[in-house]
Amino acid sequence: MSKRPIYMDHAATSPLREEVLEAMLPYLQDKYGNPSSLHSPGREAREAVNEAREKTARALGADPKEIFFTSGGTEANNIAIKGTARRQKKKGHLITSSIEHHAVLDVCKELAAEGFQVTFLPVDRYGMVSLETIKRALTPDTFLISIMTANNEVGTIEPVAEIGALARERGILFHTDAVQAVGQIPINVREMNIDLLSLSAHKFNGPKGVGALYARRGVSLEPLYRGGGQERKLRPGTENVAGIVGLGRALELAVEEMPEKSRRQQELRDRLIEGLLGMGDVVLNGHPSARLPGNVNVSFNYIEGEALLLGLDLEGIAASSGSACTSGSLEPSHVLRAMGLEEQLARGSLRLTLGRGNSDADVDYLLAVMGPLVERLRRMSALYPRQN
Amino acid sequence: MYNEKVIDHFTNPRNVGEMPDADVVGESGSFKCGDTMKIYLKIEGDRIADIKFQTFGCGAAIASSSMLTEMAKGKTLEEARRITNKDVAAELGGLPPLKMHCSNLAADALQDAINRYLDGEKGAQS
């Protein structure tokens, strides 16, 4: 078995597709016009941005006027949450979950420091937010609920449509960080009663540095920056034309190929999960069925995640872990801790996220490498029970 | 992130495993990140005749443990006692700044083992 490079960290970022690069290239070379210019190069760029806006809207079941391009998921989350908060007459109440990405969590913490009331909802052992806990958290001052569509670490898919219906019924805005979900699972902002949604192109084989915010018509948002009239003043600054074109093309392709891709990835995912659980003293993190098609997250008892990643990397496999030691912080994953996973298991977590390029052979190789590596690290571990 | 020497000690750790007939076992744990290390010593006269380790921790912790055992083997208890965490990291050719605390484990466990051994001897004499 020869060492070969395998990328299983698609939740971190995914490779740019050839077709997407082709669509982008003209706008990095000959078609360099500024979409705000009146002349023909400008109009050409404007048309490309409009077309990407239409594609993005179509993928979400939205209107093109409701799509605002940003520099990525983080900016979209910031505009959505701060943007609604700043338009409130008083410092009201917002609800989020304790397993959000930091691009939501830390924005909410910032608002809390400014005097807003913030509820960070608990989740169950699968990382699922319940409608009941949301209902209990509601106050007459609640103006926003922000719950991610699917979790980036454990892949749990949240009951977004139910939350949307509840929020709509109560007249509360509903934002969802769908960075991990867009292009992976079907989303329709109308059917799901979503008011605000964040997405990022590089998670679905698009370019880095570009994302979008969907904001339902009528939702009032305060921009983060002042500047020109781009993105209807919500996100001023000359458009990242090539990036936006890439986002539109990548999303179009992702949605088109979703049924087949998700079926394939689920097969690979389930084979990986089965193989890893078979190694013993391994637990699955996240929901067994309400789970992103490409997400595998398991914890190995007695092993530290960073050591596991290092071992895999030496065999050519790129993966990720919720271990503290991988992030440079001292605390293991806030997501795994919120799910009630004990610290040692949280530190021994391994995330494998599949993408278009992964094959059955990759799964075979990973499982073949994993067995001896786990065995070796456990024998080395001060916590591993004596074998004799 | 890690240099070749660190990777080598992680991939081929020296003196790893249990020692059923150890004269003394030392332990250390990092409150900061939860790493745990055990060190086993076989002592002849005042020298460390054999040494083994087991570590639950990241790559840096494992490599530091391995390096420490190489540095301590054959030394007198007095000499081995003077090995500091910094010495271990330096001998490894350096660790990333965020990983320096991972090397603390190793020398601490050795100190613990030596202290226990000497305390035990004192106990036996009195």
Side-chain angles (χ1 to χ4, degrees):
Chain A
M1 191 176 59
S2 60
K3 174 180 155 173
R4 60 199 200 97
I6 289 182
Y7 187 78
M8 286 200 187
D9 201 13
H10 291 83
T13 193
S14 59
L16 188 72
R17 283 180 75 148
E18 192 63 40
E19 304 94 312
V20 175
L21 177 65
E22 269 170 36
M24 291 170 69
L25 276 176
Y27 299 94
L28 291 164
Q29 294 173 320
D30 308 333
K31 303 186 178 184
Y32 49 76
N34 185 327
S36 299
S37 301
L38 273 174
H39 47 59
S40 116
R43 290 199 305 275
E44 190 174 49
R46 166 64 49 209
E47 266 168 43
V49 170
N50 285 345
E51 196 187 317
R53 203 184 304 282
E54 276 162 28
K55 285 177 180 173
T56 309
R58 207 174 306 136
L60 301 173
D63 187 271
K65 285 205 174 70
E66 297 172 315
I67 303 299
F68 300 88
F69 292 113
T70 67
S71 65
T74 295
E75 193 181 41
N77 284 330
N78 271 269
I79 298 174
I81 298 169
K82 280 188 209 166
T84 45
R86 305 254 184 275
R87 286 284 162 98
Q88 301 303 306
K89 288 194 185 74
K90 60 171 185 171
K91 288 183 174 163
H93 174 239
L94 58 144
I95 297 173
T96 187
S97 84
S98 45
I99 61 158
E100 298 297 314
H101 189 277
H102 284 109
V104 167
L105 222 42
D106 287 9
V107 177
C108 293
K109 284 180 186 165
E110 188 185 340
L111 290 173
E114 286 175 21
F116 286 87
Q117 302 296 308
V118 184
T119 302
F120 297 93
L121 294 175
V123 291
D124 68 10
R125 57 191 280 244
Y126 300 117
M128 190 79 86
V129 172
S130 88
L131 220 51
E132 279 313 304
T133 60
I134 297 180
K135 281 182 189 161
R136 279 201 295 274
L138 289 171
T139 76
D141 291 336
T142 309
F143 64 91
L144 179 70
I145 299 173
S146 178
I147 304 287
M148 65 201 329
T149 310
N151 182 264
N152 50 310
E153 290 187 32
V154 296
T156 300
I157 300 171
E158 302 298 338
V160 172
E162 287 82 352
I163 300 170
L166 172 74
R168 188 62 54 88
E169 182 192 307
R170 308 284 173 106
I172 297 164
L173 291 173
F174 174 44
H175 166 249
T176 188
D177 171 0
V179 163
Q180 292 291 334
V182 169
Q184 317 297 333
I185 56 171
I187 291 174
N188 184 302
V189 290
R190 296 268 176 272
E191 288 168 13
M192 294 171 150
N193 289 303
I194 296 167
D195 297 307
L196 295 150
L197 176 145
S198 311
L199 64 88
S200 173
H202 73 103
K203 306 291 189 185
F204 46 82
N205 304 103
K208 291 169 185 64
V210 61
L213 173 68
Y214 150 81
R216 185 176 54 78
R217 192 175 313 193
V219 173
S220 172
L221 292 165
E222 179 78 11
L224 297 180
Y225 325 123
R226 305 291 156 181
Q230 294 91 347
E231 300 305 293
R232 293 163 57 221
K233 294 201 90 116
L234 184 58
R235 204 285 187 178
T238 299
E239 295 88 343
N240 171 7
V241 179
I244 289 169
V245 167
L247 184 155
R249 182 74 180 121
L251 186 51
E252 178 181 43
L253 288 166
V255 170
E256 206 174 282
E257 296 170 4
M258 194 186 289
E260 167 62 15
K261 188 184 72 173
S262 99
R263 187 191 57 76
R264 250 203 80 53
Q265 282 187 8
Q266 271 185 47
E267 274 174 24
L268 297 179
R269 175 196 76 184
D270 293 344
R271 215 152 68 72
L272 270 175
I273 291 175
E274 200 188 317
L276 293 170
L277 292 182
M279 289 173 189
D281 271 324
V282 182
V283 296
L284 177 68
N285 298 319
H287 201 279
S289 56
R291 181 178 203 103
L292 287 176
N295 176 288
V296 175
N297 191 314
V298 290
S299 278
F300 291 82
N301 220 333
Y302 317 119
I303 303 179
E304 208 284 326
E306 195 253 20
L308 209 50
L309 288 193
L310 193 55
L312 287 174
D313 185 42
L314 293 170
E315 301 287 351
I317 301 167
S320 152
S321 168
S323 150
C325 278
T326 62
S327 58
S329 76
L330 295 168
E331 296 293 320
S333 148
H334 68 283
V335 175
L336 297 176
R337 296 294 282 153
M339 287 160 57
L341 207 66
E342 60 174 285
E343 178 140 354
Q344 196 213 116
L345 279 173
R347 296 197 53 205
S349 78
L350 174 74
R351 181 186 74 176
L352 302 167
T353 41
L354 303 167
R356 295 177 65 241
N358 291 127
S359 63
D360 276 296
D362 292 352
V363 171
D364 293 338
Y365 178 72
L366 181 119
L367 291 173
V369 163
M370 203 67 191
L373 176 63
V374 167
E375 178 66 24
R376 188 171 81 80
L377 290 172
R378 280 188 174 157
R379 279 183 189 284
M380 226 187 267
S381 171
L383 303 176
Y384 197 43
R386 275 169 177 271
Q387 293 303 287
N388 41 6
Chain B
M1 174 166 111
Y2 293 128
N3 67 41
E4 273 177 34
K5 201 161 184 182
V6 175
I7 294 291
D8 178 43
H9 276 269
F10 167 76
T11 318
N12 308 295
R14 318 330 185 229
N15 309 304
V16 66
E18 278 179 284
M19 190 193 288
D21 59 342
D23 292 317
V24 67
V25 184
E27 272 189 49
S28 70
S30 158
F31 287 108
K32 273 190 174 170
C33 68
D35 284 354
T36 310
M37 179 182 182
K38 275 187 198 168
I39 204 151
Y40 304 83
L41 298 182
K42 189 88 195 149
I43 293 164
E44 279 168 16
D46 66 344
R47 265 177 208 282
I48 298 175
D50 200 8
I51 182 166
K52 292 229 170 197
F53 82 89
Q54 285 183 306
T55 291
F56 167 81
C58 64
I62 290 169
S64 300
S65 307
S66 166
M67 178 49 86
L68 173 91
T69 61
E70 272 207 328
M71 291 166 76
K73 201 168 183 174
K75 287 213 163 68
T76 66
L77 295 179
E78 271 318 304
E79 288 163 348
R81 221 178 175 169
R82 288 198 293 268
I83 301 173
T84 66
N85 300 319
K86 275 191 184 144
D87 296 337
V88 176
E91 198 66 27
L92 279 170
L95 286 168
L98 280 167
K99 291 289 183 175
M100 282 305 288
H101 75 273
C102 306
S103 68
N104 294 353
L105 206 62
D108 289 355
L110 178 63
Q111 308 269 344
D112 181 58
I114 294 173
N115 287 338
R116 279 174 199 240
Y117 182 76
L118 296 176
D119 284 354
E121 272 203 327
K122 254 186 241 159
Q125 279 164 6
S126 59

